[in-house]
Amino acid sequence: MKKVSFVTGSRADYGIVRKYLDLLNNDKSIELSLLVTGSLLSAEYGKQIELIYKDGFKVEKSFEIPISTINNKAVIHAMSVALDEFGEYFTENKPDLLIILGDRYEMLSVAIAAAMNRVAILHIHGGEATYGNYDEFIRHSITKMSLYHITATEEYRRRVIQLGENPERVFNLGSLGAENCINIGEDVPSCIKKIKNSSYFVVLFHPETLTNVSTEKQIEEVLNAIKKNSEYKYVFIGANADTNSDIIRAKVRKFVESNSNCYYYENLTTSGYHYLLKHSKALIGNSSSGIIEAPSLGIYTINIGERQAGRIRGNSVIDVKCDAKTISDAISRVINENGIQINNPYFKENAAINYYKVTLKILDEICDNGANQPKIFFDL
């Protein structure tokens, strides 16, 4: 039996891969287990590891790390603890394949620990660019420690190859998240009942960690724009555990408490989040879900600032500067739009099934050739 591990540290990466994990989990030739860390174990962020147990996946081990977003020093400390914990684990436990999605800082520690112990890594969502966030260089670093890659667009596939990766091991299969939005569940968030038949927006805003802008100033601009459009309702979702996200969370919670047209949810299930988005006017903020997933739901995204600068985007994404007037103007534009034919460059049919099929081929190659052979830099 082939042993496959998926490591997850946030609501986002787990929700994206759930259907893909189901396919692996139902394959009798595969022993799938999950390694859980980061905000999924944090009570402050909703302790969403319970969702994994509810979905019936085996949790091999939980790795507690200190979650503090007060500054980069705190984040680096969390990374060092994760490196130590995962380093010890992979010294004794070596799955045939470790699957890592994305670019969060704790995932860099996991990748280093696995690569040092010669564990084969399949990296999902490599080759992307996000110039306003430290995810940018973390993502490319994980790429260099991985043997196999699944990208979300052909341009991203070419970029991974440009980084020296073997083209035969880089697969463009589209985004699982974009496909997830096509058949969303009926997990109706309680806030929908409160705002039924109302025009509402979803707001999800994260810090920019590679620019010199003030996080406090940015979230104040966002909230001021919402004040200017108080005739609508707004559902805020809690920010990721990035540096300075505590500033955003505190400001938003205080704002919601004093504005009856606003609601706050620390976490929602993936299907609940998608249901909420689908019935909204638009997503306001700077989440990758606004670029990758929202277009599949047929809604606009008002993408604020530089956090997602560099990503390929479809025609439903409205890029704006982080100032109240520009954001307010974009809200008015969305309300007055008659609609357009939205395209999503991240969507490919049967993404989860194709991810599963490619994973089977990768496992066969690993079993035939082993994962301990040196990885050769591919020169263009």
Side-chain angles (χ1 to χ4, degrees), residues 229-255:
N229 295 272
S230 59
E231 64 270 36
Y232 310 113
K233 294 187 177 181
Y234 300 87
V235 182
F236 291 83
I237 309 297
N240 283 345
D242 291 342
T243 306
N244 291 332
S245 64
D246 56 313
I247 296 172
I248 294 173
R249 294 152 67 83
K251 289 275 186 183
V252 167
R253 283 172 172 164
K254 185 176 180 180
F255 183 82

Side-chain angles (χ1 to χ4, degrees), residues 18-30:
R18 182 179 165 189
K19 184 177 177 182
Y20 167 48
L21 293 181
D22 269 333
L23 293 169
L24 294 173
N25 201 38
N26 291 330
D27 189 317
K28 290 183 169 53
S29 70
I30 293 173

Side-chain angles (χ1 to χ4, degrees), residues 102-103 123-131 136 139-140 143 148-167 169-176 178 288 290-293 307-314 317 344-348 355 380:
D103 41 41
H123 185 212
I124 297 172
H125 271 289
E128 303 179 15
T130 49
Y131 300 136
E136 165 71 7
R139 183 184 311 108
H140 302 321
T143 289
Y148 300 94
H149 313 269
I150 298 178
T151 67
T153 72
E154 187 59 29
E155 181 176 325
Y156 296 154
R157 178 178 180 270
R158 291 196 299 269
R159 191 174 288 154
V160 168
I161 295 168
Q162 183 180 339
L163 286 168
E165 299 304 296
N166 186 338
R169 292 180 172 179
V170 188
F171 308 90
N172 167 26
L173 302 180
S175 166
L176 292 168
S288 61
I291 309 293
I292 298 172
E293 298 170 18
R307 183 179 170 98
Q308 300 300 333
R311 280 198 198 273
I312 296 168
R313 59 251 285 133
V317 179
N344 188 350
Y346 294 89
F347 176 76
K348 278 196 169 190
Y355 272 57
L380 296 176

Side-chain angles (χ1 to χ4, degrees), residues 99-318:
I99 303 172
I100 296 177
L101 184 147
D103 41 41
R104 286 198 53 79
Y105 55 80
E106 63 268 28
M107 293 301 121
L108 178 58
S109 298
V110 176
I112 292 171
M116 292 291 286
N117 283 288
R118 309 301 294 276
V119 174
I121 299 172
L122 165 59
H123 185 212
I124 297 172
H125 271 289
E128 303 179 15
T130 49
Y131 300 136
N133 201 39
Y134 45 43
D135 294 357
E136 165 71 7
F137 55 78
I138 290 173
R139 183 184 311 108
H140 302 321
S141 298
I142 295 174
T143 289
K144 290 311 303 173
M145 288 180 277
S146 303
L147 282 177
Y148 300 94
H149 313 269
I150 298 178
T151 67
T153 72
E154 187 59 29
E155 181 176 325
Y156 296 154
R157 178 178 180 270
R158 291 196 299 269
R159 191 174 288 154
V160 168
I161 295 168
Q162 183 180 339
L163 286 168
E165 299 304 296
N166 186 338
E168 295 181 0
R169 292 180 172 179
V170 188
F171 308 90
N172 167 26
L173 302 180
S175 166
L176 292 168
E179 182 186 48
N180 290 342
C181 295
I182 300 303
N183 297 301
I184 63 173
E186 290 301 309
D187 182 6
V188 184
S190 58
C191 55
I192 284 284
K193 299 171 184 176
K194 299 177 183 177
I195 59 179
K196 191 175 181 180
N197 300 324
S198 298
S199 293
Y200 73 91
F201 293 81
V202 178
V203 187
L204 179 51
F205 192 78
H206 305 300
E208 291 181 12
T209 55
L210 280 186
T211 62
N212 293 321
V213 298
S214 163
T215 300
E216 183 172 10
K217 180 69 165 59
Q218 282 199 314
I219 190 59
E220 286 176 353
E221 291 292 326
V222 174
L223 297 178
N224 285 336
I226 288 170
K227 280 183 183 178
K228 289 175 180 289
N229 295 272
S230 59
E231 64 270 36
Y232 310 113
K233 294 187 177 181
Y234 300 87
V235 182
F236 291 83
I237 309 297
N240 283 345
D242 291 342
T243 306
N244 291 332
S245 64
D246 56 313
I247 296 172
I248 294 173
R249 294 152 67 83
K251 289 275 186 183
V252 167
R253 283 172 172 164
K254 185 176 180 180
F255 183 82
V256 170
E257 286 173 1
S258 58
N259 289 273
S260 60
N261 64 325
C262 296
Y263 307 86
Y264 180 83
Y265 287 82
E266 185 56 59
N267 276 305
L268 293 171
T269 63
T270 301
S271 58
Y273 175 62
H274 287 158
Y275 188 99
L276 187 68
L277 283 183
K278 183 177 181 178
H279 295 278
S280 72
K281 287 293 184 181
L283 174 61
I284 301 172
N286 57 8
S287 167
S288 61
S289 64
I291 309 293
I292 298 172
E293 298 170 18
S296 289
L297 294 166
I299 66 165
Y300 286 96
T301 296
I302 300 174
N303 180 61
I304 301 170
E306 300 300 315
R307 183 179 170 98
Q308 300 300 333
R311 280 198 198 273
I312 296 168
R313 59 251 285 133
N315 60 344
S316 58
V317 179
I318 302 169

